[in-house]
Each structure stands twice: as C-alpha cells, then as structure tokens.
Amino acid sequence: MYKLLINSKKELGHINPEIQGHFSEHLGRCIYEGIFVGENSDIPNTNGMRNDVVNALKAMKLPVLRWPGGCFADEYHWKDGIGPKETRKKMINTNWGGVVEDNSFGTHEFMELCKQIGCKTYINGNVGSGTVREMSEWVEYMTFDGVSPMADLRKENGSEASFTVDYFGIGNETWGCGGFMVPEYYANQYRQYQAFVKNYNSDKKIKRIAVGPSDKDYEWTETLLNQCFKGQGSINNNHGFMDGLSLHYYTVPHDWAKKGSATVFTDKEWYLTLSKTLLMDEMITKHSAIMDRYDPEGNIGLMVDEWGTWYDVEEGTNPGFLYQQNTIRDALVAGINLNIFNKHCKRVKMANIAQLVNVLQAVILTEGDIMIKTPTYHVFKMYSCHQDGTLLESSIDTDTIGLEEEYMVPNLTESVSKSKDGKINITLTNLSCTDSYEVESNLLEDTVKSVRASIVGGDMSDHNTFEKPEVVREEEFTDFTVNGNKILIKMPKSSVVHLEVEI
Ligand code: AHR
C-alpha cells in the first residue's frame, strides 16, 4: 500500500492554464490537412479550419497555441502570408521535407484559429533570417489600433480590429536551427530585438520570451539571465528584458539516429522512455535554481515550449514530416510531465507539447476527413481540471521499479490541486507496465463527501487507429473506496487516473 498525503490547507501556487499549452508548426501535416483545409474543402470547416479538430481542441480546453515554429519560424517571413491568397509567395520549407509552402495559412488564419478554439496566442518571431524591422512591423501589424503603415495594411487585409498577441518568442533554438549562435551573441541579439516588440496596448502587454536552453545546457541559462534579465533600458521594471525563458527537451528513447518505434517496443524500452521523460524534473529544478538567483520573486516564467516524445516516423511516411503513432506509453509521458509542471508551477508558467496534430506527440491524428484522438489527447483533457487551480502540498511513497539499473523509475507520480469551486483534483500515474498498486489517499483533516474518477489505461502499446479509434479513451473509474478522510484506490498497471474529490 502506497500512501498519498494531501494537505488542502497548504497552498503552493497558481497553476497557469498555459502549462497545458500546445505547439503547431508548418511541418508535415500539422497545419495543412491537420487543421487548415481551406474554405473550399469537402471536409466540414469554418473559414478553412476543420470543424472536427477545432471542436475536439475546445473540448480539451486548449489554453494557448504556439506558431509558426519551431525551426520554421526562423525562415518565415510574415508578409508572405498576408493579403489575397492567390498572390501569396510560395517558398520551400527547407527544414521539413523541402516541400512547397504556399503561405495560405498566415497571420490572419492563425488568429482565426485561436479565436475559434478560444485560446491565447503565442507567436514566434524570426531572428535567424529576419530583421529587427521585420519583427517590429509584425508586432505593429498585429497589435496597433491607430493609424500607421502596418495597422493600415492589416485593415486593408480585412481586419479592422487589432489582434491580441499574448506571448511573443524572440527566435527559436538560436543555439541550433535558429542560427547556431553562442549564448553571448544571442543575448545581445535578444536585447536588441525585444526592444522593438512594442506594447501598443497598455492593458494587453505582450509577454516576451527569450530562447532558453536545450536540455541540460545550464550555461546557456546562466548567460542569458546574466546578460538580459535586468539592465539599463529595461522597459519592464522588475522583469528586466524578458517575461519568459524557454526550455526544449524531447523524450527520445534511444538516440537521434535510431530513436525507436512508436508502437513496437519492449518492457525495457517502456522503462527507458519513462526514465528519460522523468529527466524533465531534474532539468526544471536545475534551470529554476539558476533563475531563482536572478529572479527570486519568480517574475520570469520558465516556458517549456517544446516537449514530448520523438520516435522514428511511421513506415512509408515522409521522414521530414515527423508523423508518429501514440500509445499508452505516450499517455504516461503526458501524465508524468503534466504532474511535473504542476509541481513546478511557481516557475513553469507555460509548456507546449510538440505538436498539435499529425506531428510528434500529437493529440490528434487525421487521414482525409477522419480524425482520431490519441491517448495523449485523453490525458490532456483529463488534466484540464488543474487549469487555473491552486497546487496543494502532497507527497506519495514510491518504490523504484524497472528492468535495468540505469532505467529505474518511481512506480507512481502524482499532483494535486484545488479548483476555484473548492474541489480537490488528484492525478496519479502508474509507471509499471505489469503491476497494479493500492494507493491510500489521506486528506488529513478533510472528510471526503464524494469522489468522481476516470482513467486512461490499458496495455502498454495500446493505441487508436483510423479503423479502431476508441481502443484507448477516458473511462469512468470505480475501483476505489472511501472511508472518512481516506480514499483507497487500486491503480491498474500503465494507467493515468483522475479523482475529483468533494470535501
Ligand atoms: O518540433 C520539431 C522541431 O524540434 C522544432 O521545429 C524545433 O524547434 C525542434 O528542434
């Protein structure tokens, strides 16, 4: 029996809904086919956006969407994606399959998509191959309400009212595809570019995000903060020059040359993958420790704006399109990471899983007019109960399990929050692919009035296909008993469970 202690009197921080954010790049079939099919498509759509996909994303409560990349962002020139579609420039998507990008999905279409979903906007600007002027004009185009060349152009293109840009990223992976810069050089670039991301609306300030580290590159974090956190000319008194610093970390089971299959894997690869995903906790802890030295008040968010599993592509698909299936293993990866982000909610203000549809650890896969929800989708929907909640103090006893010493993992992870209406939401993951466990949740002085629970679980490689779309789904869970302030739960193997508790 494993004990989960929950202290509802000890509130540890606000869980920003954006912790459950997503990322959509011009990559493979993410934007085109997956989301945007155009007004003339036979696939039911509203202003070109697939109705089935938008409805599923609304139901999942998608809080924020990052666009247009990724590596694509640093070769994207936004003016190519505005105005009449027939005259938009075509370009080569050099990063992703060398395919033709016809720019039919641009700024207006992205804003329309976010409006339909009801989510916040996170635009990623081009530092790698763009200019300060180009970035500055994009911000003016999107957000300025008065009379100016860019605001007038936006109006000519059909949008009288300005758009809301909630977050703006100054480049992407500038240590890699975004320009192969050294941190000192990028820090200077960042200082310059961010100065021209103007806030035209004092009540809708844009949060500026600097390119942060990859994985365990602590030196990058140290240099960026040292050069850019505070300084003369800062337009944002206590935040210095930035509101957020990104972190990218992908869960790759083996190595980049041969990552491993998404659906065919052994028990050993199950634990290998989960042990690698758990490194997220260590990385956040160590990058946060650096951030704490510069910013003890926690004004800058650590934005984990790319994360998730990265496997070999599905057989017969374009290697540049990064199309992969999604199993119960991915459900566990999602549940474990979302628990980690909750636990770090004081520093982690946003996270964006890669990527929304048809790419990497997607929540949705499409084929023609058919759409399926992946196990990851069901976990995100389940965890939406934590959005805007308050993290509560909680801890669980665990055992270490696995098949090889270096790939050992705790058998259980958890996080607990209190929602605005006073309900306690517990999310638990069972990392064993063979064993179930009994967990006794103890709510200390609170008496449990009622519990509603659901589960996403199955055999480790279970997944949904276009032929069998409902193999994995969120189901009602009843394998628990309540006694006073305790709930005794039987956690099945390889599962993610949510309990909504009324006290
Ligand atoms: O998500 C796929 C790619 O991974 C992104 O374009 C890039 O930022 C990262 O390397």
Side-chain angles (χ1 to χ4, degrees):
M1 165 103 72
Y2 296 86
K3 289 209 155 93
L4 168 63
L5 291 181
I6 299 165
N7 184 354
S8 71
K9 308 287 176 295
K10 197 90 191 265
E11 300 187 345
L12 300 181
H14 173 245
I15 299 176
N16 223 18
E18 284 91 315
I19 276 180
Q20 296 177 11
H22 289 254
F23 168 38
S24 57
E25 180 167 9
H26 288 239
L27 195 178
R29 298 186 301 115
C30 181
I31 299 286
Y32 300 111
E33 283 186 46
I35 297 168
F36 182 72
V37 288
E39 289 92 338
N40 301 326
S41 170
D42 289 340
I43 299 175
N45 70 83
T46 305
N47 299 329
M49 313 296 156
R50 290 181 73 126
N51 292 343
D52 52 355
V53 170
V54 168
N55 288 336
L57 297 175
K58 273 160 78 174
M60 191 187 71
K61 298 208 174 93
L62 192 164
V64 64
L65 190 57
R66 177 175 181 239
W67 173 84
C71 296
F72 181 80
D74 280 297
E75 62 178 8
Y76 182 62
H77 301 286
W78 68 272
K79 282 188 184 163
D80 297 346
I82 54 169
K85 295 223 160 119
E86 325 70 81
T87 59
R88 292 192 192 176
K89 276 192 202 156
K90 295 191 171 49
M91 65 180 277
I92 311 169
N93 190 332
T94 61
N95 287 289
W96 308 118
V99 293
V100 174
E101 160 66 56
D102 70 2
N103 276 306
S104 53
F105 187 95
T107 305
H108 290 254
E109 289 75 20
F110 175 68
M111 293 297 177
E112 168 68 18
L113 171 66
C114 293
K115 193 171 104 193
Q116 289 188 24
I117 297 170
C119 70
K120 289 193 174 170
T121 58
Y122 175 5
I123 299 269
N124 211 112
N126 179 347
V127 169
S129 70
T131 62
V132 174
R133 178 176 180 174
E134 185 182 8
M135 187 179 286
S136 163
E137 287 187 338
W138 199 5
V139 174
E140 180 188 323
Y141 182 90
M142 292 186 285
T143 62
F144 186 54
D145 264 320
V147 175
S148 81
M150 292 303 115
D152 292 351
L153 186 58
R154 183 195 66 239
K155 291 172 196 167
E156 270 169 39
N157 287 331
S159 190
E160 186 62 32
S162 63
F163 301 119
T164 300
V165 175
D166 296 291
Y167 297 92
F168 196 93
I170 317 267
N172 168 71
E173 297 195 351
T174 42
W175 36 260
C177 63
F180 296 101
M181 299 172 196
V182 295
E184 291 78 8
Y185 179 72
Y186 171 65
N188 264 328
Q189 292 277 98
Y190 177 78
R191 289 172 70 108
Q192 182 186 0
Y193 274 74
Q194 66 80 37
F196 299 93
V197 175
K198 303 278 183 197
N199 276 309
Y200 293 103
N201 306 305
S202 53
D203 57 332
K204 282 198 245 163
K205 285 214 166 129
I206 302 171
K207 294 197 164 71
R208 290 153 304 151
I209 300 175
V211 172
S214 166
D215 309 356
K216 296 184 181 178
D217 189 352
Y218 302 112
E219 197 195 321
W220 182 281
T221 300
E222 184 77 52
T223 308
L224 258 286
L225 289 171
N226 187 292
Q227 307 283 309
C228 306
F229 175 51
K230 279 196 173 138
Q232 248 196 346
S234 157
I235 49 169
N236 204 338
N237 296 333
N238 56 355
H239 294 214
F241 290 111
M242 65 173 81
D243 300 288
L245 182 73
S246 69
L247 165 65
H248 288 187
Y249 171 57
Y250 283 99
T251 301
V252 181
H254 292 282
D255 54 47
W256 286 101
K258 184 87 191 106
K259 303 172 206 60
S261 159
T263 50
V264 183
F265 53 88
T266 60
D267 289 14
K268 195 171 131 190
E269 287 172 305
W270 163 272
Y271 290 111
L272 166 68
T273 310
L274 299 190
S275 69
K276 288 206 168 170
T277 222
L278 282 156
L279 291 176
M280 181 68 89
D281 188 43
E282 177 191 323
M283 287 175 208
I284 292 178
T285 304
K286 291 189 177 165
H287 287 295
S288 298
I290 299 170
M291 295 174 84
D292 288 347
R293 275 197 278 112
Y294 289 89
D295 171 38
E297 289 159 15
N299 287 313
I300 334 170
L302 182 60
M303 315 304 212
V304 191
D305 61 15
E306 285 187 34
W307 69 275
T309 52
W310 194 322
Y311 307 120
D312 295 331
V313 297
E314 293 304 314
E315 234 176 270
T317 65
N318 186 330
F321 283 12
L322 310 186
Y323 177 75
Q324 65 188 39
Q325 252 292 359
N326 197 295
T327 67
I328 286 288
R329 178 172 58 165
D330 296 274
L332 264 290
V333 166
I336 291 167
N337 279 284
L338 294 177
N339 278 343
I340 292 173
F341 300 149
N342 280 351
K343 294 272 182 190
H344 287 278
C345 68
K346 273 205 149 149
R347 183 59 75 183
V348 177
K349 298 292 173 200
M350 173 158 65
N352 309 73
I353 190 169
Q355 298 195 6
L356 194 60
V357 186
N358 291 332
V359 172
L360 299 176
Q361 193 178 347
V363 288
I364 286 171
L365 302 177
T366 66
E367 211 173 80
D369 61 352
I370 314 174
M371 174 205 93
I372 57 171
K373 296 168 183 166
T374 67
T376 301
Y377 174 93
H378 294 294
V379 172
F380 266 83
K381 186 158 178 281
M382 177 190 258
Y383 274 62
S384 63
C385 60
H386 290 300
Q387 288 186 18
D388 228 0
T390 303
L391 182 74
L392 297 181
E393 183 178 76
S394 63
S395 62
I396 192 164
D397 303 332
T398 56
D399 273 328
T400 304
I401 56 167
L403 294 175
E404 279 188 20
E405 218 172 287
E406 53 188 315
Y407 307 135
M408 301 300 276
V409 297
N411 56 343
L412 298 158
T413 79
E414 53 77 31
S415 70
V416 183
S417 72
K418 189 193 245 176
S419 59
K420 293 241 152 69
D421 61 5
K423 296 206 174 101
I424 310 276
N425 286 297
I426 306 170
T427 45
L428 283 157
T429 62
N430 179 352
L431 280 66
S432 171
C433 57
T434 48
D435 296 347
S436 62
Y437 301 107
E438 288 203 334
V439 177
E440 184 193 84
S441 297
N442 184 331
L443 282 103
L444 305 177
E445 289 154 34
D446 299 311
T447 304
V448 175
K449 275 200 206 135
S450 70
V451 180
R452 274 189 351 168
S454 64
I455 185 167
V456 176
D459 289 331
M460 65 181 183
S461 60
D462 282 355
H463 58 279
N464 296 333
T465 62
F466 294 94
E467 295 72 37
K468 291 189 181 162
E470 299 274 321
V471 174
V472 180
R473 56 201 164 93
E474 186 179 359
E475 291 174 285
E476 191 187 351
F477 178 68
T478 51
D479 215 352
F480 63 87
T481 52
V482 177
N483 185 4
N485 62 349
K486 297 195 178 81
I487 312 166
L488 187 63
I489 310 153
K490 187 133 184 244
M491 279 287 293
K493 68 171 186 183
S494 43
S495 67
V496 183
V497 165
H498 166 220
L499 293 107
E500 183 194 80
V501 184
E502 211 176 324
I503 51 173

